[in-house]
Each structure stands twice: as C-alpha cells, then as structure tokens.
Amino acid sequence: MPHRLTKHHGLGNDFLVLLGAAAELAGVGADEARRWCDRHRGVGADGLLLGVIDDPRADVVMTLHNADGSRAEMSGNGIRCLAQAEATRRGVDRAELRVLTVGGERIVVVAPGHDPATVLVSVDMGPAGPGPEPDRALAAVDAGALSSAQLAASPRCDLTVDLGNPHLILLIDDPAAVVITAAGPYWEASYSAGMNVHAIAPTPGETDALTMATWERGAGATEACGTGATAAAHAAHDWGLVGTDVLVHMPGGDVEVIVGEHMTLRGPSVRIAAVELAS
C-alpha cells in the first residue's frame, strides 16, 4: 500500500509528515526516513515525522526521525508542522492539540495564517533545564585551516540547555561570521550522544532580539530550529541580554519565544505538498 504524506516547513526547516493509526505506522522507521528524506533520490527533508492518531494518551503521539535515520526527542519546528498536518486532516484551521513526544507532552495551538497554506502555531515547550556536560575531547580539526571566527573557538560564554533534546548555546560576536558547517561538528564532537549547536548574538539595533545560526545533530546546518531558538532565548535571558519576550532571527525567518517557567514558542508552519510514496 502507498503511504500518503504531506510536506511542510517551519521557516525552511522542512519535514515529511505521516499520520495514521499505530498499526499503520508500525513498519515505518529509520530506513524510510533515510530514503524519503534524501534530497537527490527521495522527496527531501530534514526529517520524517510520524503521528499516531489512535493513542488514548494524546491527540497525536509524535516520533521524529532525522534525515540520517536517527531519532530526535523533540523539534519545535517539527511539532508545528505535525500540528498543521493534523489540523488539515481534521478539516479545521484552528485546533488545540495534546501532542506526546519523547521529551514529554506539549500543548499546541493552531491558528490561521496570512494565506491558506500557512498557520501560526504556539507551543508550550515545557521547562528549560540544564543540558549534558561534554564527555570527550573536541574534534581533531586542522585549526590552522580555519579562522577562529569560523570555528567559534572562543565564545564569550556558553551554556547547555535541555528542552527534551540537548542544545549547546555559544555567545559570539557575529553568527554570520561562523561557518556553521565547520563550527557545528567541531563542538558537537564533545558530546558522545550528539548535540544541537547554536551560535547566537544580540541583534544590533534591536531590543530583546537575537540572531542565531544552527547545526542540528542528524540533519546538519538548517535554516531554523524551534527548540534551539527556545534554548537560545533561555540562555540569553539567564545572561541578562534579553527580557522575557524574545524575537529570534534565523536564516529561514523569525520566531517569538516567551521565557518563563514553561517556555512558549510561536511561529509559522507552511504546507508545501501532498506526497504519495511506495512502501
């Protein structure tokens, strides 16, 4: 039987979404994620989202496979895309959903966007906690071939944050000067379980705004990261750089993060296409 998926993006961070009963999704996993997310031989995406819709514990139970087949506990952009797919399946443009992730339950509110393909989604991201400590030496790289700015080798400060998945936040002078495809693997190599790496700085001329570049474990450099933006706002607030209502600028676009006991992420999801794939 063919699989009928939809493709969405949250600020350029794109996902394939497959909804169905638990029995229907039982055979779909890492192999399909690698094949379907391949940008040359498949549809192409940063990850595959599976949403079980017949589990009594929640409206949707979310499983996320990165493009390399590895599992991720949570994605702020991905959960917005999943929520849009479920609202579309229900035939509504407004919905409040309980979504169960590996990182815990999330309450997600979907509202209409500026065009029929777009929705605005608010996610209760839960509390931000301390992330893991590095457990091995930094990557062996030819530092002489890369500038210190490219590696972000001397951040002014750094912090690990857990939002159901782990993040390393590096405060630097200019995220645009960082070649994230070099800096990301360099810093991630210190964490045996992998790490999402974000280079951030306060945005010049703006109050309570951050600029961020992202490397995501299992996906590489991405245009946006919702959990990363949430973690960045939490870290920057701890450092006294921003208040509680923070705008995070990323290459793919902007999200709003409300800092509190429970972090809130607000941003768009755009439906790109319906896709039918063989098993």
Side-chain angles (χ1 to χ4, degrees):
M1 292 289 292
H3 294 288
R4 293 178 174 86
L5 304 88
T6 51
K7 183 172 179 178
H8 308 251
H9 78 85
L11 302 178
N13 192 194
D14 58 340
F15 298 89
L16 294 168
V17 181
L18 179 59
L19 302 173
E24 297 170 336
L25 303 186
V28 181
D31 289 343
E32 287 76 15
R34 285 189 289 268
R35 190 165 68 249
W36 297 345
C37 293
D38 188 296
R39 296 194 183 276
H40 301 286
R41 295 175 175 84
V43 178
D46 291 323
L48 170 65
L49 288 159
L50 305 176
V52 173
I53 57 175
D54 64 345
D55 190 307
R57 296 174 296 169
D59 295 309
V60 186
V61 177
M62 181 178 103
T63 300
L64 171 57
H65 289 275
N66 294 313
D68 67 356
S70 62
R71 289 278 296 272
E73 303 90 345
M74 176 59 183
S75 168
N77 290 329
I79 199 170
R80 298 202 313 273
C81 293
L82 182 78
Q84 182 183 28
E86 173 60 8
T88 300
R89 187 189 72 84
R90 295 182 178 196
V92 299
D93 60 4
R94 294 183 183 274
E96 181 173 318
L97 304 169
R98 290 185 305 117
V99 180
L100 184 61
T101 76
V102 175
E105 183 180 279
R106 302 288 186 261
I107 304 300
V108 186
V109 179
V110 179
H114 64 273
D115 62 58
T118 304
V119 293
L120 297 176
V121 186
S122 177
V123 185
D124 179 347
M125 299 289 285
E133 294 297 321
D135 57 4
R136 61 188 188 192
L138 279 170
V141 299
D142 181 5
L146 296 167
S147 72
S148 59
Q150 287 174 320
L151 284 176
S154 301
R156 284 157 38 198
C157 46
D158 63 84
L159 184 70
T160 61
V161 180
D162 184 271
L163 276 159
N165 60 348
H167 300 269
L168 173 63
I169 310 301
L170 305 169
L171 178 64
I172 65 167
D173 291 329
D174 181 10
V178 176
V179 177
I180 200 66
T181 51
Y186 175 77
W187 286 100
E188 186 183 10
S190 292
Y191 301 85
S192 59
M195 177 62 74
N196 300 294
V197 180
H198 313 281
I200 73 164
T203 305
E206 297 185 41
T207 303
D208 295 332
L210 301 171
T211 300
M212 184 174 91
T214 287
W215 172 268
E216 294 194 61
R217 61 175 184 171
T222 58
E223 292 192 24
C225 178
T227 49
T230 307
H234 168 78
H237 183 265
D238 272 8
W239 293 329
L241 302 174
V242 295
T244 57
D245 191 338
V246 185
L247 187 65
V248 182
H249 302 295
M250 296 171 283
D254 305 338
V255 293
E256 181 186 10
V257 179
I258 308 300
V259 178
E261 184 175 344
H262 273 227
M263 306 290 290
T264 300
L265 172 69
R266 296 174 181 161
S269 172
V270 179
R271 189 176 190 270
I272 301 169
V275 182
E276 185 173 296
L277 294 170
S279 298

